Amino acid sequence: MAVERTLSIIKPDAVAKNVIGQIESRFENAGLRLVAMKMVQLSREQAEGFYAEHKERPFFADLVAFMTSGPVVVQVLEGEGAVLKNRELMGATNPKEAAAGTIRADFAQSIDENAVHGSDSAESAAREINYFFKDEELCERIR
Ligand code: RTP
Ligand code: MG
């Protein structure tokens, strides 16, 4: 399987719960490597732009309010099949439907406050990584 990159966000609820390290351990144990990371407080404009694909959806205003409610960790994960692997580690959008042992099953409380974001395709990953990081901010990792 090809080595690829995906955008991951540890959302405000998980940052507030102080489980950043526990979530990063899931990625490390699955063989994914961080190649960029930063903690940021998103502006409304940044959150709206990031989730622009959802702007006509009824939950859009709540989603933007939540994503700007506190700092987030924005990061790029690299590894074989990283996009799908990250989605599997995250679990279903609604934590009540997320498989046991996934990040959302263990750390999220609701579909609105669901601990993590992960790119849903290679195309989304390329766009989302470019949205938050300059090329020179992505580090080469020795494997
Ligand atoms: P994300 O983009 O955050 O990784 O989540 P996802 O792919 O699993 O879900 P997506 O469909 O992209 O939705 C983005 C976020 O919007 C909220 N949402 N609420 N109330 C609802 O029906 C609903 N549907 C989605 C969730 O917080 C989801 O993470
Ligand atoms: Mg999504």
Side-chain angles (χ1 to χ4, degrees), residues 11 51 53-54 57 59 63 87 90 92-93 104 111-114 116-118 120:
K11 294 185 179 184
Y51 278 120
E53 66 181 309
H54 295 311
R57 308 282 287 278
F59 57 79
L63 177 59
R87 297 285 294 192
M90 288 164 55
T93 308
R104 282 168 166 164
I111 192 169
D112 298 308
E113 305 198 357
N114 59 5
V116 281
H117 162 82
D120 60 14

Side-chain angles (χ1 to χ4, degrees), residues 50-109:
F50 181 73
Y51 278 120
E53 66 181 309
H54 295 311
K55 68 175 183 294
E56 307 302 336
R57 308 282 287 278
F59 57 79
F60 184 69
D62 287 346
L63 177 59
V64 170
F66 167 61
M67 290 300 289
T68 57
S69 66
V72 297
V73 177
V74 184
Q75 56 194 8
V76 179
L77 300 169
E78 183 182 83
E80 289 188 7
V83 172
L84 187 60
K85 192 178 275 187
N86 181 38
R87 297 285 294 192
E88 288 172 354
L89 293 168
M90 288 164 55
T93 308
N94 184 347
K96 292 176 182 64
E97 295 165 7
T102 60
I103 293 168
R104 282 168 166 164
D106 291 345
F107 300 115
Q109 31 281 312

Side-chain angles (χ1 to χ4, degrees), residues 117-134:
H117 162 82
S119 306
D120 60 14
S121 66
E123 294 70 31
S124 298
R127 177 176 51 77
E128 292 176 1
I129 291 168
N130 187 54
Y131 189 81
F132 282 113
F133 293 98
K134 302 185 183 114

